Amino acid sequence: MNKILRMTSVAALVAGGLVLPAQAAFAGTASVGSGRYENTSGSVVYGGSWQLNSHSSDSGGNSSNGKVAGDSAQLTFSSTGVSWIARTGPALGLGKVYLDGVQVATVDLYSATQQFQRPVYSNTSLSSGTHTIKVVRVGAKNALSRGNDIVLDAIVVSDTAAPATPTAVTSTEDRKGIRLSWAASTATDLAGYRVYRAEGTGEYESVSGDALLTGTSFLDVGLVPGKGYRFVVVAQDTSGNTSARSAVRSVTPAVPAPVERRYGDCPTTGTTVSNITQLRAAVGAAKPGSVIRLASGVYRGGVPVTRSGTSTAPIWICGPRTAVLDNSNVASANGFFLGNVSHVVVSGMTIQNFRKGVVLSSASHITVSDVLIRNIGEEAIKVRYGTTDSTIVKNTIQNTGRVIAEYGEGVYIGSSPKDWCAVYDCNTDKSDRNQVIANTITGTTADPIEAKPGTTGGTIRGNTVDGAQVVAADTLIAVKGNDYVVVDNVGTNGRDERGLYAMETEVPGYGYGNVFARNRVSVPFGATAVFVGPQNLVDCNNAAPIAGSLLTNRDCQK
């Protein structure tokens, strides 16, 4: 006698020798290999009357109901295992299972509540070769059920053979991290790959996330420069079989080169000036290689920079902290305004009591280093209107937004999209590839660092930012552009709900591809240290030291 399988058991029960006569009608059906075959797959052959039902909990979003006694569905396959995946519920009945024309089980699909993607029949010990599974609606039910239908959600064909080991594993270092690549597996039932990483001589751990990788590359972020790592890749098939590990790929990320053109690098030759008239005259007459040194003293007013240097002969404007540009009016003027120039270094001095401290406008390859900027009406350093490839390094910024709090950023990259037409001929402000490195920023009324939509490819590294005085923003570092690397920053006194931030805002297509790693961000209880939208990477080695705060709103990458 054939036995009825209740849902408390999914073991295959073989019951003596009943052959389904109609099986011969499907002879010659193409055989498939291991994999998951949804109810809508062309490889599944139906007989009779079936009804398609949609539900988000079904495999593939839908399933098929056999509505008439004798309705059948079958799949021919070449493997050693097979499972029938179905719904169960209070109005479902009995289905017979045939393997190679022999009835092997009767399955009862009744359950008190509806359940989805249930493996109602499985056999994982078939002989090698080609087999056919067929399920048939009996037209009967147990006494508790309200109906006789059966359900086909999917048929899973499985095996016990591991896929081939991934080969040709290579690594490439870029500004975001280490990108591993490997040759595609030839397995016909490949489900994906996993990447494992070991630090030094330590144990391997998975770093590619819970989901299998479906491509043949992986970007590992947050690696410590100068530290040795080992990587291996494995393949996994649709049956859950895992390959042997690939050959080991050893990597040591490079230590960033020291930032050049600091105050200590300022040449000792050149012209020394001691008042604002001399300073403006020297800057106005500068040529590639000019060095303008400020003597200690007070310089009343701002300085426009209109001359350019070259990559090998920049123009230097440098002086000690005791050389102080002081406007005595936080509502007017800029300390330095560098418009349409390139290869200029501004380094060392103090800039205070201006509307804006330093403005880079349509410039390139500018360095602002080791400057003290304080008591500023709006932004301390503004990088705008297509300014590219410039470096803001080791400056100290204190007390911005004295006139307009919402404009009180410490370092502001780009410009507001709502102003692009009014002030930039409706162009996107592509202030790209700018670096903000090792600055100390306190007392800002808006974000200590903000990168606007339109900007791309920047680096925000090693800065110390404090949000204690922020009143016109809710983040410490806001990244609204693309492909920024935000690493090794320390944020304190985070405000409201978010510390570091990357999200699409204002302009579609921006706020993506940003990487956050090794940052330490203090935000209040219940707030999130690193808050990002989709297609941004947050490494698990970021830290949120305040008890009760959250590290990130998304899964972090180990």
Side-chain angles (χ1 to χ4, degrees):
M1 176 182 292
N2 296 314
K3 295 184 179 180
I4 294 177
L5 296 187
R6 296 280 183 180
M7 286 313 301
T8 54
S9 172
V10 295
L13 299 184
V14 178
L18 177 61
V19 177
L20 185 69
Q23 183 71 24
F26 296 100
T29 301
S31 174
V32 297
S34 299
R36 189 179 191 91
Y37 298 89
E38 301 293 344
N39 57 301
T40 54
S41 169
S43 298
V44 177
V45 179
Y46 289 93
S49 303
W50 289 78
Q51 175 180 300
L52 187 67
N53 294 320
S54 297
H55 198 289
S56 60
S57 295
D58 284 326
S59 177
N62 57 63
S63 58
S64 297
N65 272 35
K67 307 296 291 183
V68 177
D71 284 354
S72 64
Q74 80 172 37
L75 179 73
T76 299
F77 61 93
S78 297
S79 195
T80 57
V82 68
S83 297
W84 170 18
I85 309 300
R87 289 190 202 180
T88 65
L92 295 174
L94 306 180
K96 293 181 179 179
V97 180
Y98 296 83
L99 280 174
D100 302 330
V102 176
Q103 183 182 338
V104 295
T106 299
V107 175
D108 186 354
L109 298 184
Y110 169 81
S111 61
T113 59
Q114 184 164 240
Q115 300 179 43
F116 297 89
Q117 299 192 46
R118 303 291 293 169
V120 297
Y121 172 83
S122 294
N123 189 326
T124 57
S125 58
L126 299 172
S127 60
S128 297
T130 300
H131 303 279
T132 298
I133 184 173
K134 185 169 188 175
V135 298
V136 179
R137 185 184 189 272
V138 174
K141 62 182 181 65
N142 77 45
L144 298 176
S145 181
R146 303 194 306 269
N148 299 327
D149 286 0
I150 65 170
V151 176
L152 176 67
D153 192 0
I155 297 174
V156 175
V157 178
S158 60
D159 60 35
T160 58
T165 301
T167 60
V169 179
T170 61
S171 60
T172 304
E173 183 170 3
D174 63 27
R175 52 187 294 274
K176 291 185 177 181
I178 298 295
R179 183 170 296 280
L180 298 166
S181 301
W182 54 90
S185 172
T186 57
T188 58
D189 60 343
L190 179 74
Y193 306 91
R194 294 191 190 281
V195 176
Y196 293 82
R197 182 186 71 206
E199 297 183 10
T201 59
E203 298 295 321
Y204 284 103
E205 63 175 342
S206 175
V207 294
S208 54
D210 295 334
L212 291 171
L213 300 173
T214 55
T216 57
S217 68
F218 172 71
L219 177 64
D220 195 8
V221 302
L223 301 178
V224 178
K227 190 171 187 177
Y229 296 89
R230 293 173 292 127
F231 293 91
V232 293
V233 184
V234 300
Q236 184 172 313
D237 65 20
T238 55
S239 302
N241 302 304
T242 300
S243 74
R245 293 173 176 174
S246 70
V248 175
R249 184 70 179 179
S250 296
V251 176
T252 300
V255 176
V259 178
E260 298 179 343
R261 297 178 178 174
R262 302 283 305 281
Y263 177 63
D265 302 321
C266 183
T268 57
T269 57
T271 300
T272 299
V273 298
S274 58
N275 59 55
I276 192 65
T277 301
Q278 293 173 356
L279 174 57
R280 289 172 176 166
V283 170
K287 58 185 179 181
S290 291
V291 178
I292 302 164
R293 299 182 63 88
L294 282 68
S296 295
V298 176
Y299 297 74
R300 297 293 183 185
V303 180
V305 180
T306 58
R307 298 298 187 102
S308 295
T310 67
S311 60
T312 56
I315 293 172
W316 282 85
I317 307 170
C318 54
R321 287 285 175 87
T322 52
V324 181
L325 271 68
D326 190 336
N327 191 53
S328 301
N329 183 356
V330 296
S332 69
N334 305 304
F336 281 95
F337 183 91
L338 298 95
N340 294 290
V341 296
S342 63
H343 301 288
V344 178
V345 182
V346 175
S347 185
M349 68 287 292
T350 296
I351 301 172
Q352 63 187 30
N353 300 320
F354 285 88
R355 180 183 173 210
K356 301 180 191 292
V358 179
V359 177
L360 281 56
S361 187
S362 301
S364 69
H365 299 91
I366 307 299
T367 299
V368 181
S369 60
D370 302 290
V371 177
L372 171 59
I373 304 175
R374 62 190 179 191
N375 206 44
I376 301 298
E378 297 177 4
E379 305 96 335
I381 300 177
K382 191 162 189 176
V383 181
R384 70 184 188 186
Y385 302 166
T387 292
T388 63
D389 303 291
S390 295
T391 303
I392 310 300
V393 57
K394 204 65 176 181
N395 301 285
T396 300
I397 294 171
Q398 301 169 343
N399 301 326
T400 62
R402 302 298 95 184
V403 175
I404 304 178
E406 64 181 300
Y407 294 169
E409 290 86 0
V411 179
Y412 185 98
I413 304 172
S415 57
S416 175
K418 69 177 183 291
D419 296 332
W420 288 350
C421 283
V423 298
Y424 199 46
D425 296 329
C426 293
N427 293 311
T428 300
D429 188 345
K430 296 182 178 181
S431 291
D432 297 340
R433 300 179 302 280
N434 296 298
Q435 300 186 80
V436 182
I437 299 174
N439 301 280
T440 300
I441 304 175
T442 61
T444 65
T445 55
D447 314 83
I449 300 174
E450 181 175 5
K452 297 297 284 183
T455 68
T456 300
T459 298
I460 301 173
R461 171 166 59 86
N463 301 281
T464 299
V465 299
D466 182 88
Q469 302 300 316
V470 171
V471 294
D474 58 4
T475 59
L476 295 172
I477 298 176
V479 178
K480 302 170 185 177
N482 290 348
D483 297 319
Y484 276 77
V485 176
V486 184
V487 296
D488 296 321
N489 301 285
V490 175
T492 56
N493 293 308
R495 309 292 293 176
D496 300 324
E497 299 181 356
R498 303 169 295 192
L500 311 187
Y501 173 86
M503 188 78 68
E504 180 180 279
T505 61
E506 303 175 78
V507 179
Y510 287 97
Y512 298 100
N514 303 293
V515 170
F516 295 80
R518 303 191 305 272
N519 301 288
R520 184 178 178 85
V521 187
S522 297
V523 291
F525 180 95
T528 303
V530 185
F531 190 98
V532 301
Q535 300 179 45
N536 294 286
L537 285 175
V538 179
D539 199 283
C540 296
N541 62 12
N542 291 283
I546 300 297
S549 63
L550 306 176
L551 177 61
T552 181
N553 61 314
R554 293 187 174 270
D555 291 338
C556 59
Q557 177 177 299
K558 291 183 178 179

